[in-house]
Amino acid sequence: MTLVCRYLVIPLAAIASSGCAARLNQFNTFAQAGITYTTASQTLLNEAGHAAVNTDSALLTRHRDEMSEARRRAIINESDKKLKDRLAVLDLIGAHGRLLAAYFQAVAALSDPKAGESVGTSAQGLYDALAKISPRLKEATVGSQTVSSFIPEIADPVVAIFKARALDNELKARACLIAKELALQQAAFQTIAAEFRTDAKELQQFQEVDSINQFVSSGDLAPDWASQRPALLASPSTIASIDAAAKAADQLGKAWAALVSGRLDGNGFNLLMTDISNLLTITQTIQSAIK
Amino acid sequence: MDAASIYSMTLAQLDQTELAMTSPEGDALIQAAPPQDHKNAVEMLLDVHEARLALGNASLQAISDQLKANETGLVAGTAAVRAALNALNNVAQILNTVTTLVGLVAQIVPMV
């Protein structure tokens, strides 16, 4: 009887498993992309904080001689307070990003194709133990194959169905929340991008002005004056990085909406992976520059 | 127009103003201005800079508050997914336990 049930279950489970496996793969790819996004965006948050402080320092020191002591004290205190607030709010966004990463990590762990493999191994172990007691079970076949050879195939679809259902339940419960979360991440990075872009450009302008003043003055030019000019006249490389974070958050949000509505296709995944990998490359470049 | 859009538009204007005033052209104009105009321009630049910092903070704080409001749901979701993974691992643990038990029975009961 058991053999008949298994025989009937195998094709049904096999049909169900192909759909489940595809769904699990989608979840897994999305979760991996989410983890990469949240990790990479932490570097950009740090850089945005540094750029804000550096620009403020450069602006205040350039005009320090033109201020009275009272004005200097007032403005440095005002700047320090605002910069502390800026760093604190960037930290909050970073901490929240880490929570989002923890969520994606949990989803990735559950949708990992290898997760639950031990269920198949254990089922095989159970069969082996039973076969010791009952030689008839060991000899039993379904078609031309032994019962033993079907066990991992049976266990895998069961595991896949369980995982797909658990993840679908999660989608039903929190699809809107995650969509909102990703939209907020995008909005945060758009604001951070605008400020980071201004800070980076302003720092470069200060250097350009110094370079011009050095050329205009009658004194000798610094030995590296000419070699520094190309970098001063080109767009700062960091500007591209912050746009990449907002773009990746946008693509992640679109992929999430498609995943939830069951219409995420290969093209959607490719777009997502391109943006995430672009973000990752840029943050790795920044990290190398910092080292 | 909502508050976020007004913040965003004003911030963009402040960004442009600060960049224009610190550009080589803007700097040249400020340096060449009569003393009082020069002093006023520097004060204006510093005021724009402080306003930009304040408005940027306000924009980010508003987003951060909304992110904070989602936190409970996000933590609950993480716990739910982990619980599902644990349940899956428990199936394997149960099967392992049964396997061990069956192995013990096999040693006690004579083989059929």
Side-chain angles (χ1 to χ4, degrees):
Chain A
M1 185 63 190
T2 309
L3 293 182
V4 173
C5 284
R6 276 183 180 164
Y7 184 71
L8 288 173
V9 166
I10 292 163
L12 290 173
I15 292 163
S17 77
S18 60
C20 287
R23 189 104 176 109
L24 286 175
N25 275 337
Q26 287 192 333
F27 264 108
N28 197 260
T29 310
F30 180 85
Q32 296 295 348
I35 293 166
T36 307
Y37 160 78
T38 44
T39 308
S41 60
Q42 300 289 317
T43 305
L44 300 182
L45 287 172
N46 291 341
E47 282 310 295
H50 290 160
V53 177
N54 289 340
T55 305
D56 186 81
S57 301
L59 181 67
L60 296 191
T61 51
R62 290 180 90 81
H63 298 289
R64 183 170 172 267
D65 291 344
E66 296 160 290
M67 291 185 261
S68 67
E69 277 190 29
R71 177 66 174 136
R72 283 181 200 162
R73 190 174 300 284
I75 200 157
I76 192 73
N77 283 331
E78 203 175 330
S79 272
D80 278 0
K81 185 184 177 309
K82 285 172 186 153
L83 287 169
K84 279 179 190 168
D85 289 346
R86 172 67 55 91
L87 295 177
V89 78
L90 290 175
D91 270 354
L92 274 176
I93 292 168
H96 197 80
R98 288 192 288 279
L99 271 183
L100 192 59
Y103 176 81
F104 286 136
Q105 270 158 1
V107 169
L110 186 60
S111 57
D112 183 350
K114 289 181 180 171
E117 255 184 6
S118 56
V119 176
T121 312
S122 299
Q124 184 69 55
L126 180 58
Y127 164 81
D128 291 343
L130 284 170
K132 274 186 192 171
I133 300 173
S134 170
R136 276 191 297 169
L137 179 62
K138 198 172 183 178
E139 289 160 12
T141 57
V142 176
S144 59
Q145 297 183 60
T146 62
V147 170
S148 170
S149 67
F150 284 110
I151 290 174
E153 289 178 34
I154 295 165
D156 287 351
V158 169
V159 168
I161 290 166
F162 173 86
K163 290 197 287 186
R165 280 192 186 154
L167 290 167
D168 277 333
N169 286 343
E170 180 54 31
L171 269 190
K172 279 177 197 154
R174 266 167 285 273
C176 292
L177 177 89
I178 299 301
K180 189 180 173 196
E181 185 76 19
L182 292 171
L184 285 170
Q185 284 276 329
Q186 189 192 353
F189 274 102
Q190 275 172 345
T191 303
I192 292 165
E195 294 314 283
F196 192 9
R197 192 181 295 111
T198 303
D199 287 330
K201 193 151 183 11
E202 193 167 328
L203 279 172
Q204 193 184 29
Q205 286 186 166
F206 288 148
Q207 291 171 337
E208 191 185 343
V209 167
D210 289 344
S211 169
I212 290 170
N213 288 341
Q214 207 183 101
F215 179 79
V216 171
S217 71
S218 55
D220 288 339
L221 289 174
D224 61 350
W225 181 85
S227 62
Q228 293 293 323
R229 283 188 82 208
L232 294 180
L233 302 177
S235 289
S237 58
T238 43
I239 286 177
S241 66
I242 203 76
D243 283 334
K247 201 168 171 225
D250 176 45
Q251 206 54 255
L252 211 55
K254 284 178 183 160
W256 175 256
L259 181 66
V260 168
S261 56
R263 54 177 173 77
L264 186 58
D265 55 15
N267 188 40
F269 262 133
N270 286 342
L271 284 172
L272 174 63
M273 297 319 288
T274 303
D275 282 342
I276 299 278
S277 114
N278 186 28
L279 172 64
L280 192 62
T281 306
I282 287 163
T283 51
Q284 281 165 347
T285 308
I286 291 175
Q287 279 172 328
S288 306
I290 294 166
K291 283 173 191 167
Chain B
M1 193 179 285
D2 60 7
S5 303
I6 295 169
Y7 275 8
S8 175
M9 274 180 57
T10 313
L11 192 55
Q13 189 57 56
L14 289 171
D15 284 345
Q16 281 178 23
T17 307
E18 186 164 333
L19 282 177
M21 293 180 85
T22 55
S23 68
E25 297 79 9
D27 185 75
L29 280 175
I30 293 172
Q31 296 308 325
Q36 191 56 46
D37 288 351
H38 175 90
K39 192 173 184 310
N40 291 344
V42 170
E43 276 305 312
M44 187 187 285
L45 171 60
L46 295 173
D47 286 346
V48 166
H49 176 70
E50 293 299 326
R52 183 168 81 83
L53 275 179
L55 197 58
N57 285 352
S59 291
L60 289 172
Q61 190 63 54
I63 295 168
S64 175
D65 289 346
Q66 291 180 67
L67 285 170
K68 195 84 186 155
N70 289 345
E71 210 166 280
T72 316
L74 203 54
V75 171
T78 306
V81 176
R82 283 189 180 144
L85 185 61
N86 285 340
L88 193 63
N89 291 335
N90 284 343
V91 173
Q93 278 171 18
I94 290 164
L95 283 171
N96 275 329
T97 309
V98 174
T99 306
T100 310
L101 184 63
V102 171
L104 284 171
V105 173
Q107 287 172 22
I108 298 163
V109 180
M111 298 287 181
V112 179

